[in-house]
Amino acid sequence: DVTTNGCSTSDTINVSYKPLPVVNLGNDTTLCDGETLTLDATNSGATYLWQDNSTNATYTVSQADTFYVAVDLNGCIATDTIIVDYQSYPIVDLGADTTLCQGESFTLNATNSGATYAWQDNSTNATFTVTQAGQYWVDVTTNGCSTSDTINVSYKPLPIVSLGNDTTLCDGETLSLDATNSGATYLWQDNSTNATFTVSQADIFYVAVDLNGCIETDTIVVDFQGELSPVFIGDTTICVDEEIELDATVGLATQYLWSDNSTSSTIFVNDSGEYWVEIFSLCDTLRDTIQVDFKDCACEFEAPNVFTPNGDGVNDYFYPSLKCQLVSYEMNIFNRWGDLVFYSNQPLLQWDGRVNDGKKAAEGHYMYVIEYKDVLSGQKNTEKGTFILMY
């Protein structure tokens, strides 16, 4: 009603609303390479216009882009837009099925930058180490795109190779080294290829056994041992009240047995007598004997090698020097033909160079044999030597 200065006029109109079409292409999204997405703008009785001017109610997305649709329903238009991106699948290649040798390990690598991993045992590392036969698989996901791969791993047995412990043989012995494995090939240290090798000399022996591509090796050191050698050079004499160490140490020996039942490699001796030792080794047994005598070292024996019985008062007599108390004493002097020319059982009786008839003995070489026993040691000592008689 419109009134102007008391004058009114009225009019009437009916207004109605038509519904807008419902259009929802969804949130912006990322697809994996090769995937498609159907965009659906269907409204009954409507018309459609997509970004590429297509007019279907639906649109199939197969590449990255911005997608738009306008839907006209009885003159009422609604629009929507969606951005679709594409993500490449991660590259996963665990390799071909493989066979390993017993004891070997194998690392499967599925590394992709920014990816997550799920292995058959629920582990989530980029790599997985195989130590036993089985089927192994992994799912690798990058930005929602997943790739999987599977590999079968089997194991072959290693050949059994044992040449034994390092050993020592006796001279003349041999040792057969056996590396036999059915179907295997062999390579020894000297490039021989038999399953066995006969050892006859000391060395380091090695074999590599190849069974279907799986190789096992072993090494043995073989030494040889001969007979034992005597350890005592000769009998010995030491001073009274001293002690001597008898040493029978031999590198090859495994056991010792002395005459006093001692079992060490050495013994200390402070009594005269005969001592023996038995030495045992892997290949031999040796018995060696030594005679140990004692002497009074204060009773040193000295005898001249020249004397001149010419009456000048210098070196006119032949006699030994013994600076100790004696229990017994005998001196025999022989000429070069072995004839006895002088005998004395008195330490102070000296030879004046004359023979039994009182004549001067001939110039030349003479030999003496002196036997004595001193009070301190109580042992009988024998001294032999030669001298020259000159006028």
Side-chain angles (χ1 to χ4, degrees), residues 60-140:
T60 300
V61 175
S62 60
Q63 63 183 14
D65 208 341
T66 300
F67 300 89
Y68 164 90
V69 67
V71 181
D72 185 335
L73 182 60
N74 299 318
C76 292
I77 298 174
T79 65
D80 197 14
T81 299
I82 185 175
I83 299 173
V84 179
D85 198 5
Y86 271 80
Q87 170 68 44
S88 297
Y89 284 97
I91 298 173
V92 182
D93 183 8
L94 298 182
D97 293 345
T98 189
T99 300
L100 304 177
C101 296
Q102 180 183 344
E104 289 183 338
S105 62
F106 182 50
T107 298
L108 304 176
N109 192 343
T111 301
N112 279 260
S113 178
T116 59
Y117 310 89
W119 294 88
Q120 74 290 329
D121 65 347
N122 296 320
S123 60
T124 57
N125 296 321
T127 61
F128 186 89
T129 300
V130 175
T131 58
Q132 60 184 7
Q135 185 178 78
Y136 299 87
W137 56 263
V138 65
D139 282 332
V140 182

Side-chain angles (χ1 to χ4, degrees), residues 71-295:
V71 181
D72 185 335
L73 182 60
N74 299 318
C76 292
I77 298 174
T79 65
D80 197 14
T81 299
I82 185 175
I83 299 173
V84 179
D85 198 5
Y86 271 80
Q87 170 68 44
S88 297
Y89 284 97
I91 298 173
V92 182
D93 183 8
L94 298 182
D97 293 345
T98 189
T99 300
L100 304 177
C101 296
Q102 180 183 344
E104 289 183 338
S105 62
F106 182 50
T107 298
L108 304 176
N109 192 343
T111 301
N112 279 260
S113 178
T116 59
Y117 310 89
W119 294 88
Q120 74 290 329
D121 65 347
N122 296 320
S123 60
T124 57
N125 296 321
T127 61
F128 186 89
T129 300
V130 175
T131 58
Q132 60 184 7
Q135 185 178 78
Y136 299 87
W137 56 263
V138 65
D139 282 332
V140 182
T141 302
T142 304
N143 297 321
C145 296
S146 296
T147 303
S148 64
D149 196 17
T150 299
I151 184 174
N152 292 301
V153 179
S154 60
Y155 274 81
K156 296 181 292 186
L158 284 171
I160 298 173
V161 185
S162 177
L163 300 182
N165 297 326
D166 295 344
T167 189
T168 298
L169 304 178
C170 300
D171 285 347
E173 291 183 339
T174 59
L175 174 65
S176 181
L177 303 178
D178 192 345
T180 301
N181 281 260
S182 180
T185 60
Y186 311 90
L187 182 64
W188 295 88
Q189 74 289 330
D190 63 348
N191 294 321
S192 61
T193 56
N194 295 323
T196 61
F197 187 92
T198 300
V199 175
S200 59
Q201 62 183 13
D203 208 340
I204 299 173
F205 300 89
Y206 164 92
V207 67
V209 181
D210 186 333
L211 182 62
N212 300 319
C214 293
I215 298 175
E216 185 69 292
T217 66
D218 197 18
T219 299
I220 184 175
V221 178
V222 180
D223 198 7
F224 276 79
Q225 187 179 112
E227 295 181 350
L228 296 170
S229 299
V231 293
F232 298 133
I233 297 175
D235 298 340
T236 189
T237 301
I238 63 172
C239 298
V240 174
D241 297 330
E242 287 186 350
E243 187 175 61
I244 184 174
E245 181 183 26
L246 301 181
D247 190 345
T249 302
V250 177
L252 302 177
T254 58
Q255 186 178 352
Y256 300 87
L257 178 63
W258 291 86
S259 48
D260 64 352
N261 292 321
S262 173
T263 57
S264 63
S265 62
T266 63
I267 62 170
F268 288 91
V269 171
N270 53 22
D271 288 323
S272 61
E274 184 179 82
Y275 296 86
W276 56 261
V277 63
E278 287 186 347
I279 305 172
F280 303 89
S281 72
L282 175 67
C283 300
D284 194 19
T285 298
L286 171 72
R287 182 184 177 106
D288 203 4
T289 303
I290 185 172
Q291 176 68 38
V292 178
D293 293 320
F294 285 81
K295 67 178 180 179

